[in-house]
Amino acid sequence: AQLHADRESIIFNDTRLTHGQFKERCDKLAAGLVQSGIEKGDRLGIVAHNCDEFMILYGAVAKIGAILLPVNWRFQQDEVEFVFKDATPKLVFAGPEYRKTVGEIAGKVDTIERCYTIGGGDVPDGFHSFDTLYSEDGADTQFLIPADSGFVIIHTAAVAGEPRGALLSQSNVVHSNLQMMIGNHLGPEDSHICILPLFHIAALSMAMAAMHAGGKNVIIERFDPELTLKLIEKEKGTIFFHFPPILQMILAKYDEAE
């Protein structure tokens, strides 16, 4: 935001944010989280598809030293409940498709104080709107957060039948960014087409590296090969993270249009 304030940072559907605008939203959300009682080290759970607010939430927790807990939305209800009980979030955010499930789980997890929507849609009973967390009051407050502070808990593959949370620090992410920036020659002109879910370390690491380099992140709600091809062309995409089946679907869709 200091070096590339006017360059585009986050693209999601019709939303286009510069780095400066993205930082402003992160600052306001961080202020609102503090006013709602969130402190350094507190966990915030999220079960949702990709959206601009997902990235803003990542930025806000980083500023205040809280820890984001992104949950695999493919999990069954009992698996989501296990992750929440394992990581003890104070707040949880749910996308439109997962509010019923999260609402039911919240009543079984003692640490959860409030539920919020994310990604638009209706606000059901027991939930608060994401937008209500934004606050101008205290948005300019600066926090001294040590580099080894926790930033995100990614639950890995199951061990003895249960997923296990891996805590990454802010320093972990920054150093990963630097390695990816050097290895992939990332710079301000780069455009990351974010096709993987933001609960996954691959999507998160590439998104953070692209932003660190001053580039932009083009967020796709859920992977769609046709939309991916359109956005690569429209947004001048230069990089994306994939797995072989995803690349195969993209190439097959490209061949169809030939």
Side-chain angles (χ1 to χ4, degrees):
Q2 290 178 333
L3 296 174
H4 307 288
D6 296 327
R7 280 189 174 275
E8 288 188 318
S9 176
I10 300 292
I11 312 297
F12 178 69
N13 294 337
D14 295 330
T15 298
R16 306 187 76 90
L17 301 176
T18 64
H19 287 294
Q21 291 168 333
F22 175 74
K23 182 181 182 300
E24 288 175 6
R25 296 202 184 186
C26 292
D27 287 342
K28 290 176 182 178
L29 184 60
L33 290 173
V34 170
Q35 290 172 24
S36 70
I38 298 301
E39 300 177 345
K40 183 181 182 298
D42 285 341
R43 280 85 158 187
L44 283 71
I46 174 171
V47 188
H49 295 300
N50 293 355
C51 62
D52 54 326
E53 293 169 339
F54 208 133
M55 290 295 293
I56 294 166
L57 193 55
Y58 268 122
V61 300
K63 179 176 181 179
I64 63 177
I67 300 171
L68 199 62
L69 173 69
V71 182
N72 186 337
W73 40 258
R74 298 188 184 93
F75 279 173
Q76 298 299 311
Q77 182 164 330
D78 61 332
E79 294 174 305
V80 177
E81 182 178 335
F82 170 81
V83 168
F84 282 167
K85 287 182 176 178
D86 180 55
T88 64
K90 270 192 177 181
L91 307 182
V92 293
F93 297 79
E97 302 89 343
Y98 307 105
R99 285 168 198 163
K100 182 177 183 295
T101 296
V102 169
E104 292 174 358
I105 293 171
K108 303 177 184 179
V109 182
D110 294 339
T111 61
I112 297 176
E113 298 176 357
R114 287 182 304 283
C115 298
Y116 287 86
T117 62
I118 193 168
D122 296 333
V123 183
D125 291 342
F127 279 78
H128 304 271
S129 171
F130 186 93
D131 289 341
T132 62
L133 276 173
Y134 286 117
S135 176
E136 299 276 356
D137 186 18
D140 60 349
T141 303
Q142 299 300 312
F143 298 86
L144 296 176
I145 306 299
D148 62 356
S149 300
F151 170 59
V152 60
I153 296 175
I154 303 286
H155 275 75
T156 66
V159 177
E162 295 175 338
R164 185 162 294 180
L167 175 64
L168 299 180
S169 70
Q170 296 205 20
S171 179
N172 289 153
V173 175
V174 169
H175 284 85
S176 172
N177 290 352
L178 295 174
Q179 289 180 318
M180 295 189 75
M181 288 161 61
I182 293 170
N184 295 284
H185 308 286
L186 298 180
E189 301 292 339
D190 275 291
S191 172
H192 168 223
I193 310 298
C194 184
I195 59 178
L196 297 184
L198 284 166
F199 67 71
H200 196 286
I201 188 60
L204 173 62
S205 59
M206 186 60 79
M208 291 294 170
M211 181 177 290
H212 196 152
K216 68 180 178 182
N217 282 291
V218 182
I219 309 295
I220 295 179
E221 184 176 1
R222 294 183 68 174
F223 172 63
D224 178 303
E226 184 174 358
L227 178 60
T228 299
L229 286 170
K230 289 179 179 178
L231 289 175
I232 289 172
E233 182 175 11
K234 178 184 176 184
E235 302 296 342
K236 297 179 173 58
T238 60
I239 193 166
F240 62 85
F241 221 127
H242 70 83
F243 298 105
I246 289 177
L247 184 58
Q248 187 175 25
M249 284 188 279
I250 292 173
L251 293 174
K253 183 60 66 173
Y254 178 80
D255 288 341
E256 286 179 16
E258 287 261 292

